[in-house]
Amino acid sequence: MDKRSRELRLQVLHVLEKSRRGHIGAALSVIEVLRVLYDDILRYNPSDPDCPDRDRFILSKGHACIALYVLLADKGFFPQEELATFCDFESRLGGHPEHVLPGVEASTGALGHGLSIGVGMALAARMDSKDWRTFVLVGDGECNEGSVWEAAMSAGKHELDNLVVMADRNCMQCYGATSEVQVLEPFAEKWQSFGFSVRECNGHDAAAIGQNLKEAPFEVGKPSMLICKTHKGMGFSTTVDNPDWHHKSRLTDEDLRGLREQLEADT
Amino acid sequence: MRKTCLKYVHELAKQDGRVVFIGSDISNRDLAEFSAEFPDRFLMEGIYEAHIVGMAAGMAMTGKIPYINTIATFLTRRCYEQVLVDLCMHDLPVRLIGSGGGTVYAPLGGTHMANEDIGILRVIPNMTIIAPCDADEMARLMPLTLDWPHPIYIRLAKGRDRVVSSDEKPFRIGEAIAMREGEDVLLITTGITTARALEAAEQLGNAGISAGVLHVHTLKPLDNEAILDAIYGVSSVLTIEEHRVIGGLGSAVAELIAESDAVGSIRFARLGLPDVFTEELGSQNEILNKYGLSIAGIVEKARDLVGK
């Protein structure tokens, strides 16, 4: 893990400090993908978050929002201090992201919605001959939802090469392994057969993610799918690939201290 | 009514480049001119209503005004979470045009009848629900939909419904229209029940009962003021709707009365479909007649209520 990934994980722990709750496993799974998007790929302006020519990013697996909040604060969409308000009564930072927060395009968390919204955005951009692009991050567990595949069919039909979808393929969902709950393989072939140009990469390797996303669209006339092979809870030996850390609601001082010590030991 | 509605979507598309039409594998009848003139803004999509509603939300977030048309049942029930989260939570200007509201598709069976559409949509914040009474009223409604800043559900009737509306009374979204004044009983109606209620009111008048008709084309936002004003002038109120009695117009008016000064001083009843899945096929007319929504049924219910 490099310094940037460690710092972002420290910020995740900071978000948890007061709330003592959240979907930790998912946030740690997607953090490198989001880091690359916001560091190197997306076009945006934090001081004008609604500027018409921005790229759109939708975190369809909204429960991974702690990672999104960390990146949005890091880029200046809202003050860093607001991170500590996560799940507070009057906070804009909920357990799932809502569009009231600058930088959040759509309220998500009900799974299976984000890709359809992204298809609509990409279609609208093409109607208006705009060059901004739409990026959507879906979870592999989320791909149990039929609506994901409805949207995939539609993206393929419309040949939306201004749409880039990333799948957080950590092979885990709430109960346990995706293979135990609902087999998804052959995952890449499924997306290919729905009309996507598909690539796979290590979803914790920032350079690999960046290289692939910079080359999107992978094929002219097709939506792109980058399957990011990840580990749920990545970064801590206690959380990695551990379904117990899908969501926590009563984190103790000891839990947080233990996680922080692991990060420090990793430096 | 559908033809008028879709003709106006085409007219609005001519006026405003933001207008997009989305169909879900529906007949090209009434749409050929739109698709020929604006192929880039005409989307005939597959049979996946949940996706279409989400997609329309994404387009509206990007400045478009999508008009979606498919069968009312599928456009309300099948994609309910997308309607609630994607459209209403984001308060987007997407228009849901539901073909066959109520019992229109009676011959096709219970799976195709939308007898709870108003009820399930009425509980969602930001939603606007409109059930015009005839094609002329649809023509007055449609131009107003362009700039209405919220999601709208437009409930289409069967078509060729008797025209009872007139342009003498202005049409505004959210404002009920007094179609007839009366002192004994107020018939509160929506959609095609307005025409039936007007005929029933005529017959009641012949029998010495003065009946008013208040046409509530907009079920949400409800015109509380007009309804309460009208209620204070009568001793009996009967709501009439092509919908189950739970959750629709009758429920909305009952809620209003229960919290008003009128509670306890007026007699009130709801006329609509009962809390069952109707088993009959046949026609819209046959179903409505069986469940007391015929003109004779309305007259009988009103007479019982008034006690004359």
Side-chain angles (χ1 to χ4, degrees):
Chain A
M1 200 187 322
D2 66 9
K3 186 172 173 232
R4 176 91 172 123
S5 280
R6 262 196 311 277
E7 283 174 354
L8 292 170
R9 282 180 172 76
L10 267 176
Q11 287 299 308
V12 169
L13 298 183
H14 174 58
V15 172
L16 299 170
E17 193 74 47
K18 192 171 164 208
S19 67
R20 302 296 170 121
R21 63 174 304 137
H23 285 92
I24 301 163
L28 297 172
S29 185
V30 304
I31 204 155
E32 274 74 32
V33 176
L34 295 198
R35 158 192 168 179
V36 172
L37 281 171
Y38 282 91
D39 283 358
D40 303 319
I41 303 295
L42 296 176
R43 186 165 78 192
Y44 58 87
N45 179 359
S47 58
D48 183 12
D50 295 328
C51 70
D53 288 333
R54 72 192 183 280
D55 287 332
R56 271 65 168 175
F57 170 63
I58 297 165
L59 181 67
S60 191
K61 54 175 298 177
H63 58 289
C65 58
I66 295 175
L68 178 63
Y69 298 153
V70 165
L71 262 305
L72 291 177
D74 181 71
K75 298 299 179 187
F77 281 90
F78 57 85
Q80 286 273 357
E81 302 78 62
E82 210 170 328
L83 287 175
T85 70
F86 180 63
C87 289
D88 276 359
F89 184 64
E90 291 190 326
S91 177
R92 296 188 291 179
L93 281 61
H96 293 91
E98 299 205 12
H99 65 289
V100 293
L101 187 68
V104 174
E105 296 287 350
S107 301
T108 55
L111 295 175
H113 289 235
L115 188 50
S116 293
I117 293 172
V119 167
M121 289 176 165
L123 273 170
R126 188 165 71 189
M127 279 178 191
D128 293 342
S129 303
K130 299 292 185 187
D131 68 350
W132 55 264
R133 294 189 295 169
T134 303
F135 295 76
V136 181
L137 178 58
V138 299
D140 53 2
E142 181 181 9
C143 293
N144 296 172
E145 292 280 6
S147 54
V148 171
W149 300 102
E150 295 179 3
M153 255 194 293
S154 175
K157 165 192 159 176
H158 289 289
E159 302 176 347
L160 292 174
D161 57 9
N162 59 349
L163 174 70
V164 182
V165 185
M166 296 144 292
D168 177 30
R169 182 73 172 119
N170 57 31
C171 298
M172 299 274 286
Q173 51 198 109
C174 181
Y175 175 82
T178 55
S179 59
E180 288 180 42
V181 179
Q182 172 57 58
V183 174
L184 291 166
E185 295 296 342
F187 194 57
E189 288 84 345
K190 276 194 176 76
W191 286 96
Q192 274 163 1
S193 71
F194 278 73
F196 279 69
S197 184
V198 181
R199 290 192 189 180
E200 299 181 70
C201 75
N202 177 345
H204 297 297
D205 180 341
I209 300 165
Q211 187 60 42
N212 279 293
L213 290 181
K214 278 175 188 162
E215 290 171 11
F218 303 151
E219 283 181 63
V220 173
K222 285 188 174 184
S224 303
M225 161 54 85
L226 182 62
I227 297 174
C228 301
K229 295 185 171 178
T230 54
H231 291 276
K232 196 163 181 167
M234 181 67 171
F236 305 97
S237 59
T238 41
T239 61
V240 70
D241 295 331
N242 183 351
D244 288 347
W245 284 80
H246 171 77
H247 181 265
K248 287 280 189 189
S249 57
R250 288 183 187 83
L251 285 169
T252 62
D253 289 345
E254 197 178 336
D255 290 330
L256 289 172
R257 190 167 54 245
L259 294 174
R260 195 166 285 112
E261 282 170 5
Q262 285 184 49
L263 272 186
E264 285 161 3
D266 198 39
T267 51
Chain B
M1 188 183 281
R2 177 180 184 268
K3 190 172 183 174
T4 303
C5 181
L6 296 181
K7 185 182 82 136
Y8 268 91
V9 177
H10 185 197
E11 290 303 315
L12 295 174
K14 290 179 193 170
Q15 286 174 34
D16 195 312
R18 296 173 299 168
V19 171
V20 174
F21 177 82
I22 305 172
S24 174
D25 189 32
I26 54 172
S27 158
N28 197 39
R29 182 169 51 91
D30 306 328
L31 293 166
E33 289 180 19
F34 189 122
S35 60
E37 188 171 354
F38 302 110
D40 295 342
R41 288 192 276 146
F42 179 88
L43 297 166
M44 187 52 68
E45 299 301 295
I47 308 164
Y48 35 39
E49 297 81 2
H51 166 61
I52 287 173
V53 171
M55 183 180 92
M59 299 182 89
M61 288 172 187
T62 318
K64 303 295 180 195
I65 305 175
Y67 286 74
I68 308 177
N69 177 218
T70 190
I71 293 174
T73 48
F74 313 130
L75 197 49
T76 55
R77 304 195 304 238
R78 178 76 179 196
C79 48
Y80 190 67
E81 193 180 71
Q82 277 75 11
V83 170
L84 189 149
V85 174
D86 301 349
L87 298 192
C88 295
M89 196 179 275
H90 294 86
D91 200 9
L92 296 168
V94 173
R95 285 71 180 95
L96 306 174
I97 302 168
S99 296
T103 61
V104 169
Y105 289 125
L108 303 185
T111 58
H112 278 57
M113 283 193 274
N115 291 328
E116 62 291 287
D117 53 345
I118 295 166
I120 62 174
L121 296 179
R122 198 167 68 82
V123 295
I124 309 177
N126 295 330
M127 180 55 93
T128 295
I129 306 170
I130 304 175
C133 61
D134 57 39
D136 284 12
E137 189 168 72
M138 178 64 78
R140 287 189 283 277
L141 159 66
M142 287 305 288
L144 305 181
T145 62
L146 189 64
D147 292 319
W148 185 253
H150 311 290
I152 309 175
Y153 172 63
I154 300 168
R155 191 190 215 217
L156 294 185
K158 186 177 179 186
R160 298 191 179 86
D161 306 283
R162 192 163 69 83
V163 172
V164 293
S165 70
S166 95
D167 57 11
E168 287 170 15
K169 296 184 175 166
F171 183 96
R172 296 189 191 94
I173 293 173
E175 292 188 14
I177 297 174
M179 306 288 281
R180 178 186 168 116
E181 304 293 333
E183 290 161 8
D184 295 323
V185 60
L186 176 67
L187 309 177
I188 303 182
T189 59
T190 190
I192 59 148
T193 62
T194 298
R196 289 171 180 239
L198 285 167
E199 286 199 40
E202 194 66 34
Q203 292 185 17
L204 287 164
N206 294 338
I209 297 171
S210 169
V213 176
L214 183 67
H215 171 51
V216 181
H217 48 72
T218 305
L219 293 133
K220 187 173 185 174
L222 198 66
D223 191 349
N224 295 355
E225 196 179 333
I227 294 171
L228 286 175
D229 280 352
I231 283 171
Y232 286 129
V234 296
S235 56
S236 300
V237 173
L238 177 64
T239 59
I240 308 161
E241 62 193 309
E242 186 189 12
H243 186 276
R244 290 197 197 97
V245 287
I246 295 176
L249 173 70
S251 292
V253 173
E255 290 158 13
L256 197 59
I257 291 173
E259 292 183 330
S260 75
D261 297 339
V263 67
S265 64
I266 58 166
R267 290 182 289 270
F268 174 73
R270 296 168 298 159
L271 190 52
L273 298 166
D275 182 22
V276 297
F277 288 107
T278 54
E279 293 179 353
E280 299 81 4
L281 298 171
S283 68
Q284 176 189 35
N285 208 33
E286 286 175 289
I287 299 242
L288 294 182
N289 288 349
K290 159 150 187 177
Y291 290 100
L293 288 153
S294 61
I295 292 157
I298 296 169
V299 168
E300 186 185 342
K301 187 80 177 176
R303 292 188 74 145
D304 284 351
L305 195 63
V306 174
K308 287 188 185 173

